[in-house]
Amino acid sequence: MSKNPKETEEKEPKPTLKDLRTPKGVHDILPDDHEFYTYLKKVIRHRARQSGYRRITTPTFEFTDVFKRSIGDTSDIVSKEMYSFEDRKGRSLTLKPEGTAGVVRSYLQHNMQTWPQPVELYYIEPHFRYDRPQKGRYRQFWQFGFEVLGETDPAIDAQIIQLFKVILEDLGVADLFTLQINSIGCMNKNCRPHFIEDLRNYYMGKERSMCEECQTRLEKNPLRLLDCKEEDCIILAKLAPQMKDYLCEECKEFHEELLKLLEGLGIEYVENQKLVRGLDYYTKTVFEFWSASTGAQNAIGGGGRYDGLVEKMGGQPTPAIGFAAGMERIIDTMKEAGITVPTKDDIHVFVAQLGFTAKQKALKLMNELRNVGIKCVGALGKGAIKNQLRVADRFAVPYTVIMGITEVRDGTAIIRDMKRGSQKIVKYDKVLEELIEVLGEDQLDRYSPEEVLY
Ligand code: AMP
């Protein structure tokens, strides 16, 4: 006798929550946190707009070569932190680990050299790195960044640093960070290459006092020897040659002028000879904002000049500078400092109803309320008014509109003042007017093109 196929079909075991949790290092952004992200994005957009920057979004993944060629094979990002994968045709793609490479690729692809220079762009995007997850270090994280391409002057460097600082000021955290600044010179053979040669010579023969990673760095990326966090390496770095003694005339002048400009703007800085940034593409100015209390580990962002990158990626020589900042770290800092952000998510009115006709009226009323800017919710799937009012409590609304069988029959509605506990019966077609009156015109959240302007 054949069995019913349904009975013999093996059921896949039900997954446990543990099986489906987010992978290590990535997280949901829940509504409470979104209040911070939204606020941060508004501040960024506002400051960008004031300074003539326009927004760009590059794709979440690009050909791996875009990052390899720009960031450099020896950087931590390319050598061990990229999420790379092959597509169905065997092409290597990578989730973007940082923003500049994609922006430069786009600058070239869209012929932005023909636009009025400098081209000033900003982005607010998630990025992906196979980092070791810990507080403030994730595998998907949000960065905002600013890039200026096509013109050079120390004043441009000063201005972009100032922009970063102003954003931190707007967010109330500027005092918690120090600006660290350095110049790592240029590729002129008397400048950085000469320094690197002497740096190698200094470290050569000292391998036994260096951490394993620095032994590789000596070979592949000697600049990074200077910012190693291992104790023995820190000691070695103290007596290492210093870039400032090797800067060519042009780089030296450029850097001195930049420092003067920062002073003129009242921006304090710490000259830091150990600051090199991890990526190959920097030239001259490099800078980071470090936590004033914990230092380099909690850098909130950084950047620098990358005058050689456009050419390296196939374009004409084009000077450029940019920075990127980590949004999770900024938000963590804001929370730790007890900073709260204003939100527009509070609900004005709860609409409770009983019976089908009341429900129909409630749906219509809620739409009308929203159209004049009254934020309202109902609990349309809940039965008893008592249960609905519990939901109203959860939203902590100042007013509730109640429409039961009596009110529908009389063409009225009850408006309940939730704080006072008092209530008033009004004609159904006066509900809107009455609510505007008690809430106040200035509280309304009307759709306005101004408000939603990018
Ligand atoms: P970077 O260009 O690597 O210096 O990154 C700029 C900023 O992005 C850092 O200062 C951090 O604030 C942030 N950031 C970089 N990597 C991560 C990460 N794995 N998780 C969270 N934030 C990060």
Side-chain angles (χ1 to χ4, degrees):
M1 216 169 59
S2 72
K3 281 192 178 165
N4 180 346
K6 269 197 186 150
E7 282 171 23
T8 52
E9 223 173 67
E10 267 199 34
K11 260 201 179 167
E12 236 186 273
K14 194 172 155 194
T16 64
L17 183 58
K18 215 166 138 229
D19 299 328
L20 300 180
R21 288 179 73 89
T22 48
K24 212 169 146 189
V26 304
H27 55 266
D28 299 310
I29 302 176
L30 298 178
D32 281 351
D33 272 336
H34 259 298
E35 291 182 358
F36 281 88
Y37 281 85
T38 304
Y39 186 71
L40 193 44
K41 284 179 200 171
K42 285 209 165 191
V43 167
I44 296 160
R45 274 165 37 185
H46 181 233
R47 288 300 184 178
R49 200 162 52 227
Q50 283 181 332
S51 314
Y53 285 81
R54 301 192 67 209
R55 188 159 172 184
I56 183 166
T57 300
T58 60
T60 302
F61 60 85
E62 303 240 13
F63 286 124
T64 301
D65 261 0
V66 169
F67 306 110
K68 270 193 156 179
R69 280 169 184 254
S70 54
I71 304 168
D73 280 331
T74 56
S75 64
D76 285 352
I77 292 185
V78 171
S79 61
K80 51 189 185 199
E81 292 174 359
M82 293 206 301
Y83 275 94
S84 299
F85 56 97
E86 280 190 358
D87 71 3
R88 285 170 184 269
K89 292 214 166 141
R91 290 168 291 218
S92 180
L93 302 169
T94 294
L95 297 183
K96 65 175 159 192
E98 59 95 53
T100 304
V103 170
V104 171
R105 194 264 315 129
S106 180
Y107 179 84
L108 289 170
Q109 187 172 335
H110 299 285
N111 256 330
M112 293 187 206
Q113 307 97 306
T114 61
W115 298 7
Q117 306 289 302
V119 173
E120 298 185 312
L121 301 167
Y122 77 102
Y123 58 83
I124 307 174
E125 300 292 323
H127 291 82
F128 307 84
R129 291 186 197 170
Y130 195 82
D131 240 327
R132 209 172 325 140
Q134 51 190 282
K135 187 172 159 20
R137 191 169 291 285
Y138 311 104
R139 290 184 171 167
Q140 175 175 343
F141 56 96
W142 281 74
Q143 279 185 337
F144 66 88
F146 287 74
E147 315 282 355
V148 182
L149 299 110
E151 208 169 85
T152 185
D153 193 283
I156 295 178
D157 302 32
Q159 202 177 30
I160 207 165
I161 291 171
Q162 185 190 31
L163 178 60
F164 194 165
K165 172 116 193 188
V166 162
I167 290 174
L168 296 179
E169 276 166 5
D170 287 349
L171 298 169
V173 294
D175 292 346
L176 304 175
F177 296 94
T178 62
L179 168 62
Q180 309 279 317
I181 195 163
N182 192 17
S183 171
I184 54 169
C186 67
M187 294 318 283
N188 177 331
K189 73 176 183 338
N190 299 320
C191 197
R192 197 186 327 163
H194 183 200
F195 171 63
I196 288 186
E197 196 187 319
D198 279 9
L199 198 62
R200 269 215 177 97
N201 289 337
Y202 167 80
Y203 277 97
M204 220 102 83
K206 299 189 174 68
E207 287 86 344
R208 279 204 287 167
S209 319
M210 289 152 63
C211 73
E212 218 170 286
E213 211 163 331
C214 277
Q215 292 176 23
T216 322
R217 283 178 181 144
L218 177 57
E219 175 75 21
K220 294 189 168 159
N221 194 354
L223 267 190
R224 289 296 313 278
L225 292 163
L226 296 173
D227 74 351
C228 180
K229 310 284 182 300
E230 296 293 330
E231 214 172 300
D232 287 347
C233 302
I234 293 176
I235 295 169
L236 272 183
K238 276 194 181 140
L239 294 175
Q242 302 212 332
M243 185 69 226
K244 69 173 166 31
D245 302 325
Y246 291 79
L247 291 178
C248 66
E249 240 357 86
E250 190 201 320
C251 287
K252 202 167 152 195
E253 252 175 51
F254 192 97
H255 194 58
E256 280 167 4
E257 201 174 309
L258 167 60
L259 297 184
K260 264 196 215 127
L261 288 165
L262 290 176
E263 281 156 27
L265 290 168
I267 297 176
E268 286 177 22
Y269 58 82
V270 177
E271 274 196 273
N272 183 341
Q273 286 294 305
K274 307 281 176 288
L275 186 73
V276 295
R277 305 277 296 145
L279 321 181
D280 271 8
Y281 55 57
Y282 289 111
T283 45
K284 292 195 177 104
T285 312
V286 288
F287 62 94
E288 281 184 1
F289 278 87
W290 287 6
S291 157
S293 54
T294 53
Q297 244 148 14
N298 291 316
I300 211 152
R305 180 157 281 289
Y306 50 93
D307 290 346
L309 183 57
V310 177
E311 193 181 5
K312 200 170 163 201
M313 291 181 77
Q316 296 297 320
T318 307
I321 183 167
F323 76 81
M327 293 173 67
E328 282 80 3
R329 289 195 196 170
I330 292 181
I331 291 171
D332 281 349
T333 309
M334 289 170 75
K335 286 183 181 168
E336 280 160 23
I339 295 169
T340 53
V341 295
T343 164
K344 281 186 162 184
D345 286 353
D346 55 313
I347 297 292
H348 293 134
V349 171
F350 184 84
V351 179
Q353 36 65 41
L354 195 67
F356 185 74
T357 317
K359 194 175 274 187
Q360 270 182 319
K361 285 190 128 179
L363 275 180
K364 197 159 161 271
L365 178 68
M366 284 197 281
N367 191 41
E368 285 164 2
L369 295 181
R370 286 168 188 155
N371 283 342
V372 296
I374 296 176
K375 293 174 280 184
C376 61
V377 293
L380 298 164
K382 297 251 181 312
I385 293 258
K386 197 173 71 193
N387 294 341
Q388 295 181 42
L389 292 181
R390 263 193 222 126
V391 181
D393 280 343
R394 238 184 34 225
F395 280 101
V397 286
Y399 296 95
T400 296
V401 175
I402 305 167
M403 288 187 290
I405 290 157
T406 321
E407 288 74 32
V408 168
R409 191 195 57 213
D410 299 347
T412 58
I414 298 169
I415 296 180
R416 188 174 170 83
D417 181 327
M418 303 296 277
K419 255 197 220 125
R420 294 206 182 116
S422 58
Q423 58 187 44
K424 183 171 174 185
I425 299 172
V426 294
K427 280 277 171 215
Y428 176 81
D429 52 11
K430 294 279 180 233
V431 173
L432 199 117
E433 236 170 77
E434 179 72 22
L435 284 172
I436 293 176
E437 170 82 27
V438 291
L439 287 167
E441 281 273 351
D442 58 335
Q443 291 301 307
L444 303 183
D445 188 8
R446 279 206 176 97
Y447 169 78
S448 95
E450 287 287 300
E451 262 297 300
V452 293
L453 261 189
Y454 215 55

